[in-house]
Amino acid sequence: MEKKDVNEPLLLSAAEQSRGSAVSLTSSIGDADIGPISGVGDFAREFNVESKKLWSLAGPAILTCVSQYSLGAVTQVFAGHISTLSLAAVSIENSVISGFSFGIMLGMGSALETLCGQAFGAGKLSMLGLYLQRSWVILHATAIVLCLMYVFATPFLAFIGQTPNISRAAGLFSLYMIPQLFAYALNFPASKFLQSQSKMAVMAVISAAALVLHALFSWVAVAILRWGLEGLAVALNGSWWFIAVGQIVYILCGTCGEAWTGLSWEAFHHLWSFVRLSLASAVMLCLEIWYFMALVLFAGYLKNAEVSVAALSICMNILGWAAMVAIGFNAAVSVRVSNELGANHPRTAKFSLVVAVISSTMIGVGISAVLLIFRERYPEFFTDDKEVRTVVRDLTPMLALSIVINNAQPVLSGVAVGAGWQAVVAYVNVACYYLFGIPLGMILGHKLGFGVMGIWSGMLMGTVIQSLVLTWMIQKTNWEKEATMAEDRIRQWGGHSDSKENILT
């Protein structure tokens, strides 16, 4: 059979169009773009309709995020029952070695949010499987490179100032955790593949089951078998592989229809274009993840560093849990925007953004209100140190403001991912975060003597500026043009799905 040019428009047969329409209906993509909204009544009605679509995605996504976020937290809790050194080793490995790799791998996998989402919205279902396989190839190659960081974790940690004992223990635990890196390489593309088809519920069930089993096996490894750090590593690796294999089994069982038709040599075509978008996604996400990680690092340089770091760590933990809601909306709005752009519904894509920002911001306001009301009591749940509790209480207004702002910002980033703007947003993040926010925070905190509050204020201003820039970009966007670009991207990177190219059907 003669090969089609990849730049040639991919036309669907009547049967394929029918199947694509059926799947689109199940994923809540409307048959037509949203019409003009006139008056409060129209807005309220359309808001209610879009809210149901968003929450059907955001609810399972939030549960998935919370479950996966909790795996490392559970491991740290059990490590604290082994020894103080074990707790330090696990904490450092989770936040530095694994945290660095997690950001890169998740960011690179996020390229599928753009490509799979837009292809699904356009009804080009067979292309989703090709995109998934290309992402697997790229992420496994990245995992092999990142293995060097795990192998040389001990000298690296010593170089950045960790004590010899902690460096050795964390370095040993890093070696144990290499299998987790390859679980990331399988899991993140599979997650984005399922997410683009609105199959969020199965991801939530698998992740929640993994969390329950992880807690059980960690307890057995530490309390019953006395395996120490090795046992915790086995449990944590096993949990991530459980998630990855569970999702892959679900995909291979035929539940995704034409989105998965088997392995294909086409996965090795157009890899460079895929790598560029994957790298842009990784840079965009990592710059956001590492930004507030740097806040704790800078607090360690203050005069009363121990109290400052302890108080700030408590605030960052709370901010992290609250961020799971925003990240859930990030995933949901990314799916909605990419699907609707792929379906050539630009006005619906824009309205979905409005609904997501309002919903996520209101939830952030609610969480912040609870913290402000109970600001005198909640620090007691985290520490017995009176001085640390006092600092946490003083930082609560800043924490509350950060939660509100950070609940809106990831939604805006989700729109950027859904529309394929990763490279542009990466430049915006560098300018707003690292050229403006961090220098301002250092000036306020160190030069002007405002301490933790000054550092946090400066860095929060960077987030505010970034959110304003993204809002301006979205406001100026020609959504009809974005829908056309989505169609061009699908056509350019599609390849063909000739059965002769399949390795396994």
Side-chain angles (χ1 to χ4, degrees):
M1 183 180 291
E2 184 181 356
K3 272 193 174 182
K4 296 179 183 178
D5 186 356
V6 296
N7 292 316
E8 178 183 341
L10 299 176
L11 301 178
L12 297 176
S13 68
E16 287 173 327
Q17 290 176 352
S18 175
R19 285 191 292 267
S21 298
V23 177
S24 295
L25 286 172
T26 63
S27 63
S28 300
I29 302 176
D31 293 326
D33 204 1
I34 190 174
I37 297 176
S38 58
V40 177
D42 280 354
F43 181 85
R45 183 176 60 255
E46 295 295 344
F47 188 95
N48 182 56
V49 171
E50 182 61 32
S51 290
K52 292 178 180 178
K53 295 177 182 179
L54 274 172
W55 273 107
S56 68
L57 300 171
I62 291 170
L63 178 57
T64 300
C65 292
V66 169
S67 298
Q68 295 185 6
Y69 182 85
S70 299
L71 293 177
V74 169
T75 300
Q76 291 187 36
V77 169
F78 281 101
H81 292 284
I82 299 174
S83 68
T84 302
L85 180 60
S86 296
L87 175 59
V90 171
S91 299
I92 291 297
E93 194 278 335
N94 274 343
S95 61
V96 179
I97 306 300
S98 180
F100 179 85
S101 302
F102 181 93
I104 291 177
M105 300 292 276
L106 177 60
M108 296 190 73
S110 294
L112 291 191
E113 291 188 38
T114 303
L115 299 173
C116 285
Q118 293 181 358
F120 183 77
K124 309 295 179 69
L125 302 183
S126 62
M127 293 163 57
L128 272 68
L130 292 178
Y131 290 153
L132 172 63
Q133 293 168 63
R134 286 172 187 165
S135 189
W136 273 340
V137 171
I138 293 169
L139 263 68
H140 275 86
T142 305
I144 292 173
V145 175
L146 290 174
C147 275
L148 295 174
M149 188 172 185
Y150 285 69
V151 172
F152 296 103
T154 297
F156 172 75
L157 293 172
F159 175 76
I160 64 174
Q162 298 298 319
T163 66
N165 287 339
I166 292 178
S167 297
R168 282 192 297 269
L172 181 61
F173 190 69
S174 296
L175 290 175
Y176 296 152
M177 293 310 302
I178 288 178
Q180 180 193 53
L181 185 58
F182 290 91
Y184 287 165
L186 287 173
N187 173 59
F188 294 143
S191 296
K192 304 306 178 184
F193 172 83
L194 293 172
Q195 175 182 308
S196 67
Q197 302 169 68
S198 304
K199 296 182 181 295
M200 313 291 276
V202 65
M203 295 166 54
V205 170
I206 292 172
S207 297
L211 178 59
V212 173
L213 293 174
H214 178 66
L216 175 62
F217 290 144
S218 296
W219 174 75
V220 171
V222 173
I224 305 300
L225 301 178
R226 306 288 181 181
W227 283 356
L229 283 180
E230 293 87 346
L232 288 179
V234 170
L236 188 54
N237 282 321
S239 298
W240 277 102
W241 273 95
F242 176 87
I243 294 173
V245 172
Q247 292 181 156
I248 292 173
V249 169
Y250 179 83
I251 293 170
L252 296 181
C253 284
T255 54
C256 297
E258 294 180 27
W260 177 262
T261 57
L263 298 176
S264 170
W265 291 114
E266 284 289 333
F268 295 94
H269 296 179
H270 306 288
L271 281 180
W272 177 238
S273 297
F274 224 91
V275 168
R276 284 187 296 172
L277 183 60
S278 296
L279 288 175
S281 299
V283 171
M284 171 186 162
L285 185 63
C286 287
L287 289 174
E288 295 182 2
I289 291 176
W290 298 337
Y291 185 54
F292 277 96
M293 288 174 58
L295 179 55
V296 178
L297 175 65
F298 295 142
Y301 301 140
L302 297 172
K303 293 180 180 179
N304 196 2
E306 186 175 341
V307 172
S308 298
V309 171
L312 202 52
S313 296
I314 292 172
C315 292
M316 289 300 103
N317 280 331
I318 296 173
L319 189 62
W321 288 110
M324 294 303 104
V325 175
I327 291 174
F329 271 102
N330 174 298
V333 77
S334 177
V335 171
R336 293 289 299 134
V337 168
S338 60
N339 283 177
E340 296 296 348
L341 286 178
N344 198 25
H345 298 161
R347 289 193 300 273
T348 303
K350 187 175 182 179
F351 187 73
S352 181
L353 160 67
V354 174
V355 175
V357 170
I358 293 175
S359 301
S360 186
T361 301
M362 293 307 297
I363 292 174
V365 169
I367 296 172
S368 298
V370 171
L371 290 174
L372 290 171
I373 292 171
F374 296 101
R375 63 185 295 187
E376 298 295 329
R377 299 299 302 273
Y378 83 84
E380 297 176 3
F381 291 102
F382 296 93
T383 180
D384 294 325
D385 190 309
K386 292 183 179 180
E387 190 174 2
V388 174
R389 290 205 301 258
T390 299
V391 175
V392 172
R393 283 194 292 268
D394 293 340
L395 289 174
T396 297
M398 182 63 68
L399 173 60
L401 180 61
S402 297
I403 289 174
V404 173
I405 293 173
N406 286 344
N407 264 41
Q409 186 273 336
V411 177
L412 299 175
S413 295
V415 175
V417 171
W421 301 343
Q422 289 93 328
V424 176
V425 177
Y427 287 113
V428 172
N429 288 351
V430 168
C432 296
Y433 289 162
Y434 295 91
L435 300 182
F436 177 77
I438 287 180
L440 179 60
M442 297 298 285
I443 291 172
L444 293 175
H446 291 275
K447 296 295 184 181
L448 301 182
F450 289 104
V452 174
M453 187 69 77
I455 297 176
W456 198 344
S457 298
M459 296 182 70
L460 187 60
M461 281 301 301
T463 303
V464 171
I465 298 299
Q466 190 253 18
S467 299
L468 292 175
V469 171
L470 288 183
T471 302
W472 177 81
M473 289 172 58
I474 292 168
Q475 190 66 29
K476 292 294 184 180
T477 294
N478 183 329
W479 289 93
E480 284 74 13
K481 182 179 179 181
E482 289 296 325
T484 302
M485 291 173 63
E487 182 180 351
D488 292 341
R489 185 182 294 114
I490 293 167
R491 183 171 61 248
Q492 180 181 354
W493 291 354
H496 61 83
S497 56
D498 184 16
S499 60
K500 291 182 180 181
E501 295 290 332
N502 286 350
I503 302 173
L504 178 65
T505 56

